[in-house]
Amino acid sequence: MSKPGYVITIRIPPLEDCLIVASVLLLPAIFVILTVIGWRHAAKVSNATPAPNAQLVGEALNARVEALLGRMTVEQKIGQLTQYSAGIMTGPGTGREDYEDMIAKGEVGSLFNVVGAKATNHYQRVALEKTPLHIPLLFGYDVIHGEHTIFPVPLALASSFDPDLVEKVSRVAAKEAADDGIRWVFSPMVDIARDARWGRITEGAGEDTYLGSVMARAYIKGYQGDDLSKPDSVAACVKHFAAYGAPNAGREYNTVDMSELSLRQVYLPPYHAAVNQGAATVMSAFNPLNGVPATADPFTLTKILRHEWKFNGFVVSDFGAVRELINHGVAANGGIAARKALSSGVDMDMESDLYRTRLADLVKDGEMDEAVIDEAARRVLRVKFALGLFDHPYADETKPAYVATPEKRVFAREAAEETMVLLKNGRTVPYAEPILPIPKETAKIALIGPLADSQIDMLGSWGAAGNPLDAVTLRTALQSRCTWAKTQLLYAQGTDILTDSDDGFPAAIAAAQQADVVVLALGESGSAMTGESSSLTRLDLPGNQEKLLEAITRLGKPTVLVLFDGRPLAIKWAAAHVPAILEAWYPGIEAGPAVADILFGDANPCGKLPATFPRAVGQEPLFYNQLPTGRPAMDVDLSHPPTGEDKYLSRYIDESNSPLYPFGYGLSYTRFTYSPVTLSLAKISTEELTHPPKAHFFSSPEEIQVSADVKNTGSVPGVEIAQLYIRNTGGSVEEPVRELKGFERIYLKPGESKHLEFTLGFDELCYYNLDMKRVIEPTEYQVWVGGGSDASQGASFEVTP
C-alpha cells in the first residue's frame, strides 16, 4: 500500500526583503566589529589616554563615597589625609605615641609599620568603635620583595626578564600581607636607575625603560589581582614619582635635573605603565625635579598624573617629605608646606604631622579652599571602599602563624635560580672543561667568605616581616649536599664584610690549598649597604675582600666567585683573573640551595643583567642606551696617551668607554646561536604606521614583523632570553644608540631551534619630539636580535614620509 504524499510549497521573498532582513541581523555584528577596530586603532595608533582603575569609578562605590563625605567635618576629612608610623620606624619620626587617642578623634586615616592581624585589628577597633563615622584605617607596609617569604630583591627579579614570575611573587606577597592585616603595600619601585652608586637601585628593575615598564605592570597585576575587594588583594603604591632614581652623583635624596624630553622618554614610562595597569596609589618622591620638590610639583602630580594619565587613585608623600619642603627652601613654615603639597596633588601626608595640624587653620583663614581637602579625602575614601574595608575591616586572627612551607621554599628557590647571572665561566688550563658546573665527584670544596654563612644578608634590604632564621645560607646548603655526596666541605670565613683585618686569611688560604675547587662568597651587606640611604663613592668589593680574593686566586685552584650584592660592582680584577663568576644578588630565603643548584648544574643559569657593570666607578652613571655624540670613540689602546685624532674623541684617557658587562648580558651552561634577522618590510611610511590603509577600513595600522631563529648548539637544555633592540637615525631629536623593544624567554633542548617573531608598531617606534609629542618621523631604523644589548645579528628598514 502506498504512503500518502505531501506537497511542500516554498515561497521565496523578494530580493529587497532579504537584504532588509540581512541588514537588520548583521547590524549588531557590524557594530561590534567596528567597535573592536576602533579600540584597537585607538590603542595602537594614538596611545589614547588609558582608562583609570575601573573599580575606583563605579557608580555605586562613588555614591557611598559622596554620602559619607557629605557627613564629614573638615577635621574628619583631614584625618583621612593623615598617616603615621606606629611600628618600627623607617625614617625620622615625629616622636608621637598617642595614636589611639588621635584615631578615636578621627584624626588618623592610615597607619604603617603595624604588622600582624592582632596588631592591626587592635587599632582598627578603635577607629570603628570610638569614632562617630566608623571609617576604617588603611594599613600600609614596605612589602618590596615578599612579606614573610622573602624572594630575590627586585633588581634580581628583573634579571629573570620574566614578568610572569614577578606577578606570581607579588601575588604570594599580597596574600601574606593581607593575612597580616596589611591591605596597602609601598611597592613597586619603578624608578629608572642608571647609577650603581645609588643604593636604591636594588629596589627597582634597573636602567631600561622597556624592561622597567613590563615589570611595573607585572607587580600591579600580582598585588592587586583582578579585584581589589578580595581579601587577599592589596592596593599597590607606585613609587617614587618622579625620577627619584636619577639623583646627582648617585647620592640619596639629592637633586634631579633633566630635560623634559629625557623625563618623558626615559623616566616616566614605567610609572605610566603601572597607572595604565590600574595602580590604586602613587607615592611622591623626596627629590626636587628641575628645581621643584616632587612633593610640591603640580607639573608631575597634577598635569601629568591627573590630567594626562587620568589617574584616579590617591597620592601619598614619602616619609616626612611634606615637612622637608621647609628644608628645600620652598616653604617658610609648616602651614605653607602643607598648602603647597596638598594643592600640588599630595593627598596623604606620611608622618610629617602637618596636614593634621595646619590644614584646618588654612581653611579657616581663607588660605585654602575646603574643596581641595574634599577632593583629597574623596580619593582616599574611594580606595578604602574599593578594598572592601568598610564591609570587611578586620584581618582573620585565627589563621595559623606563618611557616616557610616546602611549597613556598620550592617556589622561592626556583625564583632565585631564574635571577642569577653567570658572568664568566672560564678554564684554569687551556682545553679543560669550564669550571662550572662543579663535577659532582669533586672530593674537597673550600667555601670562603663573609657572605657564605650570613642569614640576614641573604634577604637584602627591605626584608619586611621576613625572619632571617628562615634563610638557608650557602654554607648550610653545601654542607647538606656534600654530606650525601661524600664530598668534604672546608669552610673559612676569611674576613668580615667591612674590615681591614686579615687575621682570617691564613685559615682561608689553608682551606683553599687543600681543596679541589674553591668557592668565594663575597659582596655587600644586604642589611646595611644597599637600599635607602646607602649611596657609595666606591663600587669595588668592600673592606679587604678584594685582597682576600687575590690571595686565594693566586693559588691557581679552580675558583668560583659568587657575588651577593644589590647593585653592579666594579670587579675588573676579578673579571680578568677569576675563572668563574656568578652574580647571585640577594636571593632570599632559599639563597643557599639556589646557588648550590647553579654551581652543580642542577639548574642552568639564565638570568640577564638589568643594569650595566662598570669597569670603574668613574664611568657612572653608565648605561647601554646612551645618546650618540658628535665624536664617538671606539675602544682604543690605553697603553699610551691619546695623540692625533685619537685625542679629540669622547673617551677617557685612563679607561675604556665600554662596560665590564653590558645590559642584557648573561651566560649559560649551553650555547645559543642566532640566524640572520629578516623583516616583513624594507620600507614603510609614517602614514601606514599611524593610520589604517584608506582602501581597507577594517585594517589596523601597518607593523614591521622582525624574525630570527635561535638554536641551542650546546649539550644541555637551557633557557635563553632573546632580546630585540632598535636604533633610529635621521629624526628631529637624538635617539639612543640602542633601545630594548621586546624580549622572549625560550626553553630549548640540545639541538632544538625556535622561530622568533617580534612586532614593531607605533608604540615601539615612536619617540617624543621637541613639542613633547609622541611621533614617528621619516628616518632609518636598525634592528638587532640576540642574547644581549651587544647583539650582532641585525637588519634595517626605512620609514618614508
Side-chain angles (χ1 to χ4, degrees):
M1 182 175 181
S2 63
K3 295 181 180 180
Y6 296 91
V7 177
I8 299 174
T9 303
I10 300 176
R11 177 180 179 273
I12 301 175
L15 178 61
E16 58 269 23
D17 291 347
C18 293
L19 293 175
I20 292 172
V21 172
S23 64
V24 171
L25 293 174
L26 291 174
L27 274 175
I30 293 172
F31 175 78
V32 170
I33 293 170
L34 291 175
T35 302
V36 171
I37 290 170
W39 286 341
R40 182 181 179 188
H41 179 71
K44 198 67 188 173
V45 178
S46 64
N47 192 38
T49 302
N53 186 310
Q55 290 186 258
L56 301 182
V57 297
E59 186 175 340
L61 181 148
N62 279 279
R64 296 179 72 183
V65 170
E66 295 304 321
L68 179 57
L69 197 64
R71 298 164 54 201
M72 298 172 72
T73 66
V74 66
E75 289 79 12
Q76 289 169 333
K77 295 170 188 173
I78 293 169
Q80 292 304 302
L81 315 183
T82 301
Q83 183 187 49
Y84 295 105
S85 173
I88 298 172
M89 299 304 292
T90 51
T94 61
R96 306 194 66 94
E97 296 182 355
D98 53 342
Y99 300 115
E100 289 191 35
D101 292 340
M102 288 190 291
I103 293 169
K105 296 174 183 177
E107 296 178 342
V108 179
S110 174
L111 292 176
F112 65 111
N113 291 333
V114 180
V115 181
K118 185 176 181 180
T120 56
N121 286 348
H122 169 76
Y123 286 111
Q124 195 70 285
R125 289 189 182 95
V126 176
L128 294 176
E129 296 174 5
K130 295 187 178 182
T131 61
L133 296 178
H134 315 294
I135 301 175
L137 296 170
L138 175 57
F139 293 94
Y141 196 40
D142 282 290
V143 180
I144 309 301
H145 51 112
E147 168 70 354
H148 292 281
T149 306
I150 304 303
F151 295 96
V153 293
L155 188 64
L157 289 172
S159 298
S160 71
F161 281 63
D162 189 349
D164 291 338
L165 172 66
V166 170
E167 182 180 343
K168 292 174 184 175
V169 164
S170 303
R171 188 90 287 271
V172 172
K175 291 178 179 179
E176 292 180 2
D179 284 347
D180 277 342
I182 297 158
R183 297 298 305 281
W184 184 22
V185 296
F186 303 141
S187 176
M189 190 198 92
V190 301
D191 305 313
I192 295 297
R194 295 171 155 188
D195 193 331
R197 295 173 296 181
W198 188 53
R200 300 194 82 164
I201 191 173
T202 190
E203 298 176 44
E207 70 190 45
D208 184 72
T209 303
Y210 182 89
L211 178 62
S213 298
V214 171
M215 293 303 177
R217 288 190 290 269
Y219 278 109
I220 303 303
K221 290 171 66 178
Y223 287 135
Q224 298 189 172
D226 58 3
D227 185 350
L228 278 173
S229 68
K230 288 183 178 179
D232 61 355
S233 290
V234 297
C237 186
V238 183
K239 63 184 188 183
H240 307 82
F241 196 65
Y244 181 52
N248 286 350
R251 194 176 79 236
E252 183 69 283
Y253 315 125
N254 205 0
T255 59
V256 175
D257 197 2
M258 67 173 61
S259 69
E260 185 180 346
L261 187 64
S262 292
L263 179 69
R264 289 184 179 274
Q265 190 78 9
V266 177
Y267 290 89
L268 290 185
Y271 306 109
H272 196 181
V275 169
N276 282 0
Q277 194 60 46
T281 71
V282 168
M283 183 183 291
S284 62
F286 284 118
N287 59 279
L289 175 61
N290 299 331
V292 181
T295 311
D297 190 350
F299 174 69
T300 54
L301 294 174
T302 299
K303 181 181 185 299
I304 293 176
L305 186 61
R306 297 289 181 185
H307 295 167
E308 295 183 19
W309 299 354
K310 304 302 180 185
F311 173 67
N312 61 347
F314 74 81
V315 175
V316 62
S317 79
D318 209 333
F319 198 116
V322 175
R323 182 175 294 277
E324 290 172 14
L325 293 177
I326 299 172
N327 294 342
H328 282 294
V330 300
N333 55 54
I336 295 175
R339 175 174 56 79
K340 284 195 169 185
L342 186 61
S343 299
S344 298
V346 175
D347 303 304
M348 184 178 286
D349 173 12
M350 180 192 286
E351 195 64 29
S352 287
D353 200 30
L354 290 182
Y355 282 13
R356 186 185 71 88
T357 59
R358 301 292 196 276
L359 289 182
D361 288 340
L362 290 173
V363 172
K364 190 180 302 181
D365 296 339
E367 296 181 39
M368 172 165 280
D369 191 334
E370 187 176 346
V372 179
I373 294 172
D374 288 350
E375 182 58 27
R378 180 178 290 113
R379 293 165 179 167
V380 173
L381 291 173
R382 276 194 197 119
V383 172
K384 288 188 175 184
F385 274 111
L387 284 167
L389 291 177
F390 284 85
D391 304 311
H392 304 286
Y394 297 111
D396 185 355
E397 295 183 38
T398 66
K399 287 190 175 182
Y402 170 82
V403 175
T405 62
E407 293 78 14
K408 289 185 177 182
R409 287 196 175 277
V410 167
F411 180 43
R413 183 174 71 251
E414 291 173 348
E417 290 169 359
E418 271 199 40
T419 66
M420 296 181 187
V421 184
L422 184 61
L423 299 178
K424 183 180 179 183
N425 193 18
R427 300 164 171 81
T428 50
V429 295
Y431 309 111
E433 289 294 318
I435 296 293
L436 295 176
I438 297 172
K440 290 181 171 59
E441 63 274 14
T442 301
K444 293 182 179 181
I445 297 174
L447 177 61
I448 297 167
L451 286 152
D453 201 29
S454 177
Q455 288 177 295
I456 190 170
D457 288 313
M458 296 301 98
L459 304 186
S461 64
W462 297 111
N467 186 348
L469 296 179
D470 285 334
V472 182
T473 66
L474 182 55
R475 181 187 183 187
T476 299
L478 287 183
Q479 187 61 69
S480 175
R481 178 182 287 267
C482 288
T483 298
W484 58 258
K486 297 181 180 180
T487 297
Q488 184 178 0
L489 182 68
L490 308 168
Y491 168 73
Q493 181 173 317
T495 189
D496 292 324
I497 294 175
L498 275 172
T499 185
D500 292 329
S501 172
D502 57 4
D503 292 346
F505 280 26
I509 292 171
Q513 287 174 328
Q514 299 176 59
D516 300 301
V517 175
V518 179
V519 177
L520 281 153
L522 307 179
E524 301 177 298
S525 168
S527 57
M529 296 184 69
T530 64
E532 187 171 353
S533 64
S534 299
S535 297
L536 295 174
T537 61
R538 292 179 292 275
L539 292 176
D540 47 355
L541 289 167
N544 62 359
Q545 294 182 69
E546 181 87 19
K547 184 178 177 182
L548 174 65
L549 174 66
E550 293 180 12
I552 298 297
T553 303
R554 289 193 183 103
L555 297 176
K557 296 282 186 173
T559 301
V560 182
L561 169 60
V562 179
L563 292 169
F564 293 100
D565 49 40
R567 73 182 97 215
L569 296 179
I571 52 168
K572 185 178 178 180
W573 189 91
H577 297 91
V578 179
I581 305 173
L582 178 68
E583 175 56 78
W585 311 108
Y586 297 119
I589 62 171
E590 283 291 290
V595 173
D597 283 351
I598 295 286
L599 293 180
F600 284 93
D602 295 327
N604 192 347
C606 61
K608 302 284 187 175
L609 292 180
T612 300
F613 271 53
R615 297 176 183 273
V617 70
Q619 292 178 296
E620 296 292 339
L622 183 63
F623 46 96
Y624 84 97
N625 47 353
Q626 299 184 30
L627 295 176
T629 73
R631 294 185 176 183
M634 302 298 290
D635 284 338
V636 294
D637 185 6
L638 298 176
S639 62
H640 59 80
T643 58
E645 293 184 359
D646 283 350
K647 181 175 178 60
Y648 301 103
L649 299 175
S650 178
R651 53 159 291 185
Y652 301 102
I653 64 172
D654 63 345
E655 186 54 89
S656 169
N657 285 4
S658 64
L660 187 63
Y661 299 112
F663 174 89
Y665 171 86
L667 302 176
S668 169
Y669 291 153
T670 191
R671 296 179 302 277
F672 300 99
T673 58
Y674 288 81
S675 71
V677 175
T678 60
L679 304 176
S680 60
L681 296 169
K683 285 186 179 182
I684 189 170
S685 71
T686 55
E687 178 73 16
E688 290 173 310
L689 283 166
T690 55
H691 296 89
K694 293 180 180 178
H696 303 282
F697 181 78
F698 295 102
S699 299
S700 61
E702 290 286 353
E703 297 170 330
I704 299 283
Q705 301 300 323
V706 182
S707 302
D709 294 328
V710 59
K711 182 177 182 179
N712 182 346
T713 58
S715 58
V716 296
V719 171
E720 171 66 327
I721 300 170
Q723 301 157 53
L724 168 71
Y725 293 87
I726 70 168
R727 181 188 182 183
N728 75 314
T729 53
S732 59
V733 295
E734 284 189 331
E735 283 293 286
V737 293
R738 288 197 184 194
E739 285 185 286
L740 180 70
K741 291 298 179 180
F743 59 82
E744 183 178 348
R745 291 175 54 87
I746 312 116
Y747 174 82
L748 293 173
K749 298 175 182 178
E752 187 178 5
S753 297
K754 172 71 182 294
H755 182 69
L756 305 170
E757 286 195 358
F758 298 98
T759 298
L760 293 175
F762 180 86
D763 288 336
E764 291 78 23
L765 299 176
C766 73
Y767 49 89
Y768 283 91
N769 64 8
L770 293 174
D771 296 323
M772 299 302 117
K773 304 295 183 183
R774 296 173 78 229
V775 299
I776 293 179
E777 299 171 318
T779 182
E780 182 175 334
Y781 282 84
Q782 294 173 275
V783 181
W784 297 269
V785 176
S789 58
D790 57 355
S792 59
Q793 295 286 6
S796 62
F797 65 91
E798 182 183 354
V799 175
T800 60

